[in-house]
Structures are given as C-alpha cells and as structure tokens.
Amino acid sequence: MTVSSAIASFAVVAGMLTIMPGLDTALGLRSAITLGKRRAFATALGILCGGRGLAAPRRYRPGCGRR
C-alpha cells in the first residue's frame, strides 16, 4: 500500500464516519418513524438524561456520597 492510497483510504473512512448518524440519532429516528412524535420525544429525553448522568462526575451529583 502506498502512502497516497493509505491517505485516500483514511479520507474515505473518516468521511463516512463523519456523515453517519450515531446510535442515539438512529434510535431517535427509529422511534419517530415507528412509534410517533410523543414516543420519540420520550426517547430523546431518556437519551439526554442518560448522557448527562454518565458525563457528570460522582461528586457533582446531588445526594451521591453524602451521609
């Protein structure tokens, strides 16, 4: 494999990963298409709450670790 073909391959893969939706987006779209607007909103809210819970460190969550 030459350097130019490796760069071209990398550019193609990076471009595909950039335009492909993530798992959260795919789940939200599936819920909107199959279950309707109300369930899609609930799915989006669940994704938002789950992401926030994973991103927040333990010490900043209220009530965690306090006695």
Side-chain angles (χ1 to χ4, degrees):
M1 177 179 277
T2 64
V3 173
S4 59
S5 66
I7 292 173
S9 298
F10 173 77
V12 169
V13 171
M16 292 295 289
L17 289 174
T18 301
I19 63 172
M20 287 176 32
L23 293 176
D24 294 342
T25 305
L27 181 63
L29 286 174
R30 185 191 68 159
S31 295
I33 291 170
T34 60
L35 302 173
K37 188 190 300 186
R38 187 180 193 108
R39 296 290 293 266
F41 183 76
T43 301
L45 188 62
I47 290 169
L48 177 69
C49 291
R52 182 171 169 88
L54 291 174
R58 180 177 169 86
R59 64 178 178 215
Y60 292 121
R61 282 191 236 159
C64 290
R66 295 184 185 168
R67 293 181 185 212

